[in-house]
Amino acid sequence: QVHLVESGGGLVQAGGSLRLSCVASGRTFSTYGMGWFRQAPGKEREFVAAINWTGGTRNYADSVKGRFTISRDNAKNTVYLQMNSLRAEDTAVYYCAAEKTGWMTKSAPYEYEYWGQGTQVTISS
């Protein structure tokens, strides 16, 4: 079992930056693939970024490429999402997720077994 807790959300102006963190419980964090998803009001949950267990493979949604960076620190059981050049359309609840296979990145919500409670990100234009 993996318990995930996100933090770092908030209200920022367009063009600003935020760094989200997701801390995982359990000694097997380093073997899990991790992902960030987001869900805006009235919309489906969508993929943002993913990273494999080593951190050597990363994948991004086209809408965030060049602006967001996913990283992980296995010694701290933490995955990060650095978000720069934020836009109003980035407003959503952001969720981190963990999946057991770990060796490749995955972009579909159903492929992840564990989810955090989410953190709100609001961008004012």
Side-chain angles (χ1 to χ4, degrees):
Q1 190 76 9
V2 175
H3 183 59
L4 304 172
V5 179
E6 302 99 333
S7 62
L11 171 65
V12 296
Q13 289 187 331
S17 298
L18 280 174
R19 188 176 82 154
L20 305 183
S21 300
C22 172
V23 179
S25 65
R27 289 177 285 180
T28 57
F29 171 79
S30 61
T31 67
Y32 281 73
M34 300 297 295
W36 285 97
F37 291 78
R38 66 187 182 187
Q39 188 166 18
K43 295 188 176 181
E44 293 187 353
R45 191 167 297 190
E46 67 173 0
F47 170 73
V48 175
I51 189 168
N52 76 336
W53 69 281
T54 66
T57 302
R58 309 178 194 196
N59 188 25
Y60 298 93
D62 288 343
S63 59
V64 307
K65 278 181 183 175
R67 300 188 298 124
F68 291 11
T69 302
I70 188 171
S71 62
R72 67 189 297 160
D73 185 339
N74 287 342
K76 296 182 178 179
N77 277 17
T78 303
V79 62
Y80 304 98
L81 186 68
Q82 177 67 44
M83 305 187 295
N84 299 328
S85 302
L86 284 162
R87 305 167 179 169
E89 55 264 37
D90 294 319
T91 295
V93 177
Y94 283 70
Y95 300 89
C96 74
E99 60 86 16
K100 293 179 181 178
T101 61
W103 57 277
M104 60 184 295
T105 58
K106 297 184 177 180
S107 59
Y110 74 86
E111 295 178 294
Y112 288 79
E113 290 89 2
Y114 304 105
W115 292 84
Q117 82 290 346
T119 185
Q120 176 70 47
V121 171
T122 303
I123 312 304
S124 62
S125 57

